[in-house]
Amino acid sequence: MMGMSAPYYPASTATLANSTDDLTIIRVCIVKLFSKRQWASASVIASVLLVRAFCSTATASQPPIATVQRLIPGDRACYVELTDDSGQTSTERASLKICEQQLVGKRVRLTYESGNILAEACQGNPDCGKSETVMLISRADVLALAKPTTTIQALADGNYRYWSGTTNQSIVSDTLKAGIVFNFRKQGNNVSGVFGPVDGEAICVQGKVNGNTISGFAVQNLLGASVLSAGELFKNFGPSGALSVRRGYKVDRQRVRYDSALLNVAGLNRINAGSQTPPRGCV
């Protein structure tokens, strides 16, 4: 119709995640839905509360399901390092109570809500009186671990690779971006392979398999590696809880051997073996 201005839409809705007060959030959402002229109408103003609720949802870049890698308490929020099921990593802000939960290494379903945090301009001073409204993780529900349909013990002899992530791709790259991986060789009930986080310290595990559990020993080949447990008490190797070790000692400057190790891969998923050849044994 002549004389009416065309509807206006913002170039990006990224402003929503970084809005500094409720009025900004409401304005961004209203402009998305109505033209400038309609903005002034009484009916639009009466809809403010409904639109505010409409905006309290996660953005497309915030994963609804992911594995928690780290929890970092901060002055403004809890910072959660995540890896989604496609291997993509991100850091999301969460309410401070999230950092108090035992979530590292767990796969969780995330709930996001709009909330107020201390303004960045306050530089950590809680008495400055300024705040920002952002999207926060308000809840993290731990999901049950996926279990392989076939145990390692039942596999035919060969080379295999298991990963803590999930994918709908038949071929997964050798260069995984995140997660826990176990690249191993199976011969009868004998298993040997390398276990560890994709971007962290790895360890060689060798032993006998029963179901999805390998019992044997482990050797870490890393300059400066420390002994986690020298006695009879099992200690977790890494945050996943899948591998526990004991009876450790230094072989030399860069090798630590654990004469007792238990690795349970029930929480890992089988993917293609990849091109990296697993070790024949741990030395």
Side-chain angles (χ1 to χ4, degrees):
M1 183 180 296
M2 296 296 292
M4 290 187 64
S5 57
Y8 167 77
Y9 300 95
S12 170
T13 60
T15 310
L16 180 60
N18 298 307
S19 300
T20 56
D21 53 46
D22 283 351
L23 179 59
T24 304
I25 293 178
I26 294 169
R27 186 177 182 83
V28 169
C29 294
I30 292 289
V31 169
K32 287 169 57 181
L33 300 177
F34 303 99
S35 71
K36 291 181 179 178
R37 179 165 302 195
Q38 290 171 315
W39 164 266
S41 69
S43 60
V44 172
I45 295 174
S47 303
V48 163
L49 292 179
L50 290 176
V51 176
R52 179 66 176 82
F54 165 80
C55 288
S56 297
T57 56
T59 64
S61 62
Q62 293 173 313
I65 294 177
T67 300
V68 178
Q69 304 297 337
R70 293 179 66 193
L71 294 172
I72 307 170
D75 294 329
R76 308 174 66 216
C78 170
Y79 296 90
V80 186
E81 292 187 4
L82 300 168
T83 303
D84 67 17
D85 289 346
S86 67
Q88 298 296 315
T89 59
S90 63
T91 299
E92 305 294 342
R93 285 175 289 209
S95 61
L96 292 173
K97 66 180 181 181
I98 296 295
C99 272
E100 300 173 0
Q101 301 177 31
Q102 302 297 317
L103 297 173
V104 174
K106 305 291 181 60
R107 188 165 176 263
V108 296
R109 185 183 304 278
L110 301 166
T111 301
Y112 297 84
E113 292 182 356
S114 177
N116 293 327
I117 64 173
L118 188 67
E120 188 173 2
C122 293
Q123 298 182 343
N125 177 13
D127 299 322
C128 79
K130 297 180 180 179
S131 66
E132 296 178 9
T133 301
V134 299
M135 295 304 296
L136 295 170
I137 297 172
S138 60
R139 181 171 172 174
D141 297 314
V142 177
L143 300 175
L145 293 174
K147 295 183 178 181
T149 55
T150 302
T151 65
I152 289 181
Q153 185 178 7
L155 293 173
D157 292 350
N159 297 340
Y160 298 91
R161 187 169 53 145
Y162 278 52
W163 180 42
S164 60
T166 58
T167 179
N168 56 7
Q169 303 295 320
S170 58
I171 301 297
V172 180
S173 169
D174 285 348
T175 56
L176 296 170
K177 294 183 179 180
I180 305 296
V181 66
F182 182 42
N183 186 23
F184 65 94
R185 176 194 304 273
K186 179 180 182 291
Q187 183 71 37
N189 284 335
N190 298 305
V191 172
S192 61
V194 177
F195 170 87
V198 171
D199 56 353
E201 296 182 10
I203 191 169
C204 184
V205 179
Q206 181 176 341
K208 300 285 188 181
V209 62
N210 181 11
N212 279 316
T213 301
I214 297 101
S215 305
F217 67 95
V219 178
Q220 186 177 22
N221 209 320
L222 178 69
L223 185 63
S226 58
V227 177
L228 296 177
S229 175
E232 294 300 308
L233 181 66
F234 275 108
K235 293 288 185 67
N236 287 340
F237 182 90
S240 70
L243 174 63
S244 54
V245 293
R246 64 178 180 173
R247 302 174 188 168
Y249 57 91
K250 276 187 171 291
V251 177
D252 51 41
R253 291 181 59 193
Q254 66 178 37
R255 280 190 301 163
V256 172
R257 178 184 169 104
Y258 297 94
D259 284 341
S260 180
L262 290 174
L263 174 60
N264 188 334
V265 301
L268 305 183
N269 300 304
R270 180 181 170 185
I271 56 176
N272 59 298
S275 61
Q276 296 180 2
T277 302
R280 293 184 176 275
C282 302
V283 295

